[in-house]
Amino acid sequence: MVPGPEDEFHDPLDAAARLSREWLDGMPTRSIVARADVEQVKDALGRDLADAGVDPVEVVESLSAAVEPGLIAMQSPRFFGWVIGGTAPSALAADWLVSAWDQNAALREVTPGVNGAEELAAEWLCDLLGLPSGTVAGFTTGATTANLVALAAARHAVLERVGWDDAVDGIQGAPRIRVFAGDDHHPSVDVALRWLGLGRPVDVATDDQGRMLPEALEAALAVGAGSAAGEDGRGDDGAGDDGSGDDGSGDDRPSPAIVCLQAGNIHSGASDPFEACVGVAHAAGAWAHVDGAFGLWVAASGRLRHLVAGVELADSWATDAHKTLNVPYDAGIVAVADPAPLVAAMTMHAAYLPAAATGIDAADRVLELSRRARGVPTYAALRTLGRDGVAELVDGLADAATALAEGLRAMEGVEVLNEVVFTQVCAAFDGHDVAELARALDDDGVALAHPSRWRGRDVLRFSVSNRSTDAAATAATLDAVRRVLAG
Ligand SMILES: Cc1ncc(COP(=O)(O)O)c(C=O)c1O
């Protein structure tokens, strides 16, 4: 008998819940690295798609059994690779609900339940991060796409200021947009600029921690600044007449420019001096965007907020809830102070799509039309933690990074290269090959950190991003490092 719609979900969901609990319960003790590679996992899954289907419970159970050896314990308190947050229980549970509800959350009046939760989460986030009132935020897949969406809004705004509508005329023949970023910026900014046809940014000098030097930004902006219709415009052969100004003469509008700033350098955790840099950018008529994938979260802590003083002066921001807030993946956030260019860049219209009578649809804030309500787990995390809990989470990560750095510094031949201001610790090891050390740490199985290269030195990079990294976890990690150093 074919099960009725009311009970056909029970057994597969029960199996998924049981297997999820088993995975999470094993986190404190399991090896952090995967025990099977992709080909082994494919073998275990079964390479051929059979003609006959398989019972859903069997699919869930065999999927879990085949994949589990290839899983990496990213939720472990001793996982310090990339910038990988853990998973908060209510956020994970809310993530399940989002899938069960199966709402296409594009239009706020069509799916008010999930859009209500997403909109509240977005408003709370802007408030927690100290962004200006009126800022509009949307939920993206990650900070890379948040950078893309914000920079699309920026592109629209800076071209509109010189009389060019990229939504109608595209960017071929448009006045040239000059883009600037610190010389130690994250590559996701490059890929976002590439998608937008803006090319590589001009590198602006940074200090030893990767913080942009405001005077270097000012000097860079001054080079070839010209005017809106000046010689930097690609369209001064006629296309330039076409709404981009009056062909140079007498047009004193600054040429379009975007400055990409950073809250949280991937190696040092340091943030750009926003007050000065945004001031310089705005004085030159440029849009100031902040990539704050993890570093923007310090704004939620009374103790650490000073690290991003002035960040609220910028025009747009990108961050991730799946990093510092420990929400499951698929939780990026884009925020733009003036919603008009954001909506202009993202909106789509069709007779069959009922546009919102009030408010801004989710589909007008981000790239997707069909979209899961990916902001709901962030609502759950924020509601669970409250303002104080978010601040404690942020402070706790910084404290754990400090403890880790102190322990590393105390080891002979180990040098911590960065000022440990937030979650990042970059350690250099005298007389050791860092890649080999990382492999030895993997084999040891207790803690994971990734090799990298920063400021001309090979380093092991510890990124503390998990809510469960406590004193015991940092002590166990330091023991593991001592073991591998001892050979
Ligand atoms: C500073 C910075 N920006 C952007 C990103 C990209 O974020 P995502 O992986 O969510 O796209 C990262 C990822 O670590 C980052 O650290």
Side-chain angles (χ1 to χ4, degrees):
M1 193 184 91
V2 177
E6 65 283 355
D7 56 10
E8 66 177 339
F9 290 99
H10 292 186
D11 291 345
L13 289 181
D14 286 349
R18 175 174 47 78
L19 292 164
S20 300
R21 276 198 299 271
E22 281 172 22
W23 162 254
L24 293 165
D25 289 350
M27 204 51 57
T29 48
R30 66 167 282 132
S31 162
I32 292 193
V33 292
R35 290 173 279 119
D37 64 22
V38 173
E39 299 309 324
Q40 289 168 320
V41 171
K42 282 180 171 171
D43 285 341
L45 286 166
R47 295 211 174 233
D48 299 325
L49 179 60
D51 291 335
V54 175
D55 173 74
V57 173
E58 201 183 321
V59 170
V60 171
E61 288 180 342
S62 59
L63 171 69
S64 171
V67 164
E68 200 270 348
L71 294 179
I72 163 168
M74 287 182 166
Q75 288 127 312
S76 162
R78 288 163 273 101
F79 184 98
F80 302 106
W82 302 291
V83 182
I84 300 285
T87 309
S90 63
L92 172 57
D95 202 52
W96 288 357
L97 284 175
V98 169
S99 294
W101 290 333
D102 196 24
Q103 305 282 289
N104 184 336
L107 306 175
R108 67 195 298 275
E109 285 159 16
V110 176
T111 49
V114 288
N115 291 79
E118 282 200 319
E119 288 186 16
L120 266 187
E123 287 161 24
W124 290 350
L125 272 169
C126 292
D127 186 37
L128 271 176
L129 299 175
L131 305 184
S133 81
T135 298
V136 164
F139 289 95
T140 63
T141 51
T144 303
T145 42
N147 280 327
L148 172 69
V149 172
L151 290 168
R155 184 180 74 177
H156 181 82
V158 298
L159 286 176
E160 190 179 43
R161 284 177 204 158
V162 295
W164 186 276
D165 186 350
D166 64 338
V168 176
D169 298 315
I171 55 162
Q172 301 186 68
R176 179 172 166 240
I177 302 174
R178 298 178 310 134
V179 186
F180 303 83
D183 61 14
D184 205 3
H185 65 271
H186 192 271
S188 61
V189 169
D190 294 324
V191 80
L193 293 171
R194 198 187 316 147
W195 285 332
L196 291 166
L198 296 177
R200 282 180 66 92
V202 173
D203 275 348
V204 179
T206 57
D207 69 9
D208 64 339
Q209 300 299 306
R211 290 176 290 234
M212 187 184 279
L213 299 169
E215 57 278 17
L217 175 63
E218 193 166 16
L221 276 161
V223 175
S227 68
E231 61 211 1
D232 289 325
R234 284 190 207 127
D236 37 20
D237 57 352
D241 300 339
D242 205 351
S244 65
D246 63 359
D247 208 24
S249 57
D251 185 347
D252 58 0
R253 292 172 299 185
S255 70
I258 299 170
V259 174
C260 302
L261 301 168
Q262 182 169 254
N265 178 286
I266 197 77
H267 285 99
S268 69
S271 294
D272 290 335
F274 295 112
E275 230 161 279
C277 288
V278 177
V280 167
H282 284 172
W287 176 286
H289 168 68
V290 177
D291 172 13
F294 66 96
L296 193 57
W297 288 92
V298 299
S301 150
R303 204 182 90 193
L304 298 174
R305 192 174 299 143
H306 66 95
L307 294 169
V308 291
V311 76
E312 72 284 357
L313 303 171
D315 301 293
S316 60
W317 305 264
T319 191
D320 270 327
H322 59 220
K323 292 190 169 68
T324 311
L325 194 61
N326 283 217
V327 166
Y329 281 95
D330 201 358
I333 295 135
V334 58
V336 182
D338 174 6
L342 173 69
V343 173
M346 293 298 130
T347 195
M348 96 172 79
H349 298 291
Y352 80 102
L353 296 171
T358 57
I360 301 175
D361 280 322
D364 285 353
R365 300 170 187 231
V366 292
L367 295 168
E368 297 85 4
L369 178 60
S370 290
R371 58 182 295 279
R372 79 194 304 267
R374 58 171 56 87
V376 173
T378 297
Y379 164 87
L382 293 175
R383 177 58 92 190
T384 305
L385 290 167
R387 285 175 190 280
D388 292 348
V390 176
E392 278 163 28
L393 170 67
V394 168
D395 291 349
L397 299 178
D399 290 344
T402 302
L404 211 49
E406 276 169 9
L408 287 165
R409 273 193 212 102
M411 294 178 203
E412 208 180 311
V414 182
E415 194 186 340
V416 173
L417 299 188
N418 63 310
E419 292 165 16
V420 179
V421 289
F422 189 32
T423 51
Q424 307 304 102
V425 182
C426 268
F429 296 81
D430 210 18
H432 289 271
D433 179 312
V434 165
E436 272 171 27
L437 271 185
R439 270 194 296 276
L441 207 55
D442 280 357
D443 292 343
D444 184 77
V446 167
L448 185 147
H450 281 129
S452 187
R453 197 167 167 79
W454 189 56
R455 298 308 196 203
R457 307 273 299 272
D458 289 330
V459 292
L460 209 50
R461 202 173 60 95
F462 296 81
S463 175
V464 183
S465 310
N466 195 306
R467 56 198 276 279
S468 59
T469 300
D470 55 9
T474 51
T477 300
L478 292 167
D479 284 345
V481 174
R482 274 185 215 102
R483 269 195 305 276
V484 300
L485 285 177

